[in-house]
Amino acid sequence: MASIAEYYAGKNVLITGATGFMGKVLVEKLLRSCPEVKALYLLVRPKAGQSMQQRVSDMMTCKLFDRVREDNPDFHQKIIPISSELMQPGLAISPEDVEKLTGCIDVVFHCAATIRFDEPLKHALQLNVIATQQLVSLAKQMHHLEAFIHISTAYANCNRKHIDEVIYPPPVEPKKLIESLEWMDDGIVRDITPRLIGDRPNTYTYTKALAEFVVQQEQDKLNIAIIRPSIVGASWQEPFPGWIDNFNGPSGVFIAAGKGILRTMRANNDAVADLIPVDMVINLTLAAGWYTAVHRPKSAVVYNCTTGGINPFHWGEIEHHVMSSFKRNPLEQAFRRPNANITSNYLINQYWILVSHKFPALIYDLFLRLSGQKPQMMRIFNRLHKAISLLEYFSSQDWEWNSENMNMLMSHYQSLAD
């Protein structure tokens, strides 16, 4: 990592989505492994009752930053929050901040996105596509910009079984779609969404595919890399093993299984569960920033950041590993003894949902009512079933990702380490 750390020394870096899961790990890794980085400018949205400074301060008190704090107690001085709102024109960045950013930024990491699978199309389009357009527009004004790194998803083209490290033609011209939806009310958009997204499972994958095309359109003006991680999970090693700050996707499913709440899940036992630790994704992202700036590729380079082709791990194996792990190390306040079953059969799954989820939830809620407490288990199960139904598309089939560019980058930084 020495040459990579040397590259970031003295650089001003702009990060969007810095308060999100991957964004936090990116900020921490830059501060810890590239201690000579000049400053990190974070686009942050003020939330109700919380200023952007407060949000960033809260983030930096997190356990994730303990190692950075030990090395440099004043690390927060390198972090400069910039007030921004992805839903507003021009990202609601003030003219003074625009002038500041265009005059000093060397590298942009665009991590911000809505990751909700069931996001209404208009909202997903605004956050994932229009905000990306506006950030690219700002990037083109930056006098010293050397690399623009866009975080996409390996599932942007999940309507294909074999996915190469190329940007595929978009399902629709983004500009035309944006113009068409502008005059439609939310009800009409909701009604036509299934026909618009076609063979993609949700608005998330659909809008991420459009965003890739938007970024690609500027490849003659900017040095661009697109990172496509698969299912991002807890850290493997950095800054310490097992760090995670959310229960999205499989992480939430694993915890529900460990608590004895989840007893059945529909998945293909033989399908690859393409999980990748967050620190692996962030290491690749920083290496891609270095490579893009130093080598200045003529066109956008795509990195399929996946594990299935290197170290395949199947959903059937997850059942065994997760259950044996929680039996050895039980979670506190478990609802029942962990015992989850993965099946690909719809009817068997529905039977176990009834017997192992709904009946126990009804009995427990009845007990809570009789003891004068508020019933809650049925509500928890309904939320769990919704989360699992959104995951079913990804846990019931296989994809094959070409990862030549990722392997090339890994060999580059392996040779640097040697």
Side-chain angles (χ1 to χ4, degrees), residues 251-264:
S251 307
V253 171
F254 297 161
I255 296 297
K259 290 273 190 183
I261 294 171
L262 177 73
R263 314 291 282 189
T264 182

Side-chain angles (χ1 to χ4, degrees), residues 117 231-233 244 246-257 262 265 273-275 315 318 322 387 391 394-395:
F117 287 171
I231 302 168
V232 183
I244 196 162
N246 66 79
F247 294 138
N248 297 331
S251 307
V253 171
F254 297 161
I255 296 297
L262 177 73
M265 177 181 164
D274 209 297
L275 308 171
W315 287 101
I318 283 181
V322 170
L391 272 177
F394 304 97
S395 61

Side-chain angles (χ1 to χ4, degrees), residues 8 26 109 149 151 227 280-290:
Y8 286 105
L26 176 61
F109 291 103
I149 313 301
I151 308 296
I227 314 292
M280 298 289 288
V281 180
I282 295 308
N283 285 344
L284 182 94
T285 300
L286 285 172
W290 157 78

Side-chain angles (χ1 to χ4, degrees), residues 78-92:
K78 290 194 172 187
I79 293 180
I80 302 165
I82 301 284
S83 180
S84 174
E85 171 56 81
L86 298 185
M87 295 294 285
Q88 299 297 324
L91 306 178

Side-chain angles (χ1 to χ4, degrees), residues 194-208:
R195 291 191 64 181
L196 281 171
I197 65 174
D199 52 3
R200 282 181 173 80
N202 51 48
T203 58
Y204 170 68
T205 55
Y206 179 75
T207 53
K208 290 301 273 184

